[in-house]
Amino acid sequence: MIVFIDDRPLRLLGAKHVSPALFADYEHVIDARLDILRADSLNGHVLILNAIPATAERLIDLLYMASTANLLSVTLLSDDHQLVEERVKSQFKLVKAAGGVVVKQDRLLLMFRRGVWDLPKGKLDAGERSREAAVREVEEETGVRAAPGEKLCTTWHTYIHNGSRVLKRTKWYRMTCLDDSRMAPQAEEGITQLRWMTAAETQIALTKSFSSIRYVFDEFMK
């Protein structure tokens, strides 16, 4: 599981992922059994070994309450991955959403919203299934009718709403364009442009986007 907090990835890994190569990816390695986690330890790419649920809770508090501007990413390695994941989720209000990577021939549908390139997505209605929501949100935000295909991935990202921490879970689907004759940006959602882009153009455009959206594109390209 990867949670994007302030556009920085928090990776939750089980002990089975330990390998000599793993340590080469990090500038700082902290053993939760030996050291108290402090804000001044969170710089660059950080690996935290032997994490327990309390470690995860303290980390999230530090990310929200302390200065961690120099942190690029953090990975929690735990013997009990499931318990750590549950503790992380418990620190937020969960919101469920769905979205799509829509393909027309060799081009992908992107939209420009609030200063960044993005992919169509939105919250599930009551009783709605993720696949249905993805189709609905694509049509509402872009005017494009699309058929859903395989699930690509699930992203988790956080934000603050009315003073509360929110964790948005978004299920993403590969989708095929059926009709774009009524393609138009949904202005009330802050969308100002829609564009069909090649994979190369998409990769360039997403340099001005969120890390979670670039992650979806990477999964699509696999």
Side-chain angles (χ1 to χ4, degrees):
M1 180 183 185
I2 302 177
V3 180
F4 292 91
I5 300 178
D6 194 21
D7 208 35
R8 297 170 297 185
L10 163 59
R11 297 180 178 87
L12 308 177
L13 300 180
K16 65 180 181 180
H17 292 94
V18 174
S19 69
L22 176 69
F23 294 88
D25 296 331
Y26 299 94
E27 292 147 4
H28 302 284
V29 179
I30 301 167
D31 189 335
R33 294 180 302 188
L34 302 175
D35 300 308
I36 297 174
L37 192 59
R38 302 185 308 274
D40 58 11
S41 303
L42 301 177
N43 295 285
H45 298 284
V46 178
L47 173 63
I48 301 175
L49 305 174
N50 300 305
I52 60 175
T55 311
E57 186 170 341
R58 176 167 175 78
L59 173 64
I60 291 169
D61 285 342
L62 287 173
L63 292 176
Y64 279 101
M65 298 188 301
S67 176
T68 57
N70 294 323
L71 178 68
L72 297 176
S73 74
V74 59
T75 298
L76 290 180
L77 195 63
S78 171
D79 288 333
D80 202 331
H81 171 263
Q82 190 64 37
L83 281 179
V84 170
E85 185 175 303
E86 290 173 1
R87 182 65 66 88
V88 168
K89 292 178 181 178
S90 74
Q91 305 305 300
F92 301 88
K93 176 185 176 183
L94 180 64
V95 170
K96 297 179 180 179
V101 180
V102 185
V103 180
K104 179 183 178 183
Q105 297 176 343
D106 64 341
R107 296 177 183 267
L108 284 65
L109 179 62
L110 270 75
M111 58 190 196
F112 198 72
R113 171 163 43 190
R114 302 186 183 97
V116 297
W117 288 102
D118 202 351
L119 295 170
K121 62 186 181 301
K123 298 176 185 177
L124 273 62
D125 289 339
E128 191 175 31
R129 303 177 73 89
S130 296
R131 190 178 295 269
E132 297 166 352
V135 173
R136 175 182 56 76
E137 285 291 339
V138 166
E139 187 164 4
E140 287 180 358
E141 293 193 333
T142 71
V144 174
R145 289 198 307 110
E150 65 179 344
K151 180 185 171 186
L152 285 172
C153 61
T154 299
T155 58
W156 304 80
H157 77 273
T158 69
Y159 58 93
I160 301 294
H161 181 68
N162 292 333
S164 298
R165 299 174 185 172
V166 178
L167 175 63
K168 180 180 280 189
R169 185 208 72 186
T170 306
K171 292 185 178 181
W172 294 92
Y173 298 88
R174 183 188 299 267
M175 303 176 75
T176 302
C177 174
L178 298 176
D179 181 8
D180 66 348
S181 61
R182 297 185 178 181
M183 188 168 82
Q186 188 179 20
E188 55 266 36
E189 286 295 321
I191 304 167
T192 56
Q193 294 183 58
L194 299 174
R195 191 178 300 173
W196 292 106
M197 297 188 186
T198 65
E201 290 169 338
T202 299
Q203 190 169 33
I204 293 171
L206 292 185
T207 59
K208 190 175 184 181
S209 186
F210 302 107
S211 297
S212 57
I213 298 299
R214 289 194 294 272
Y215 174 82
V216 175
F217 175 70
D218 289 344
E219 291 297 304
F220 172 83
M221 292 300 294
K222 287 182 179 178

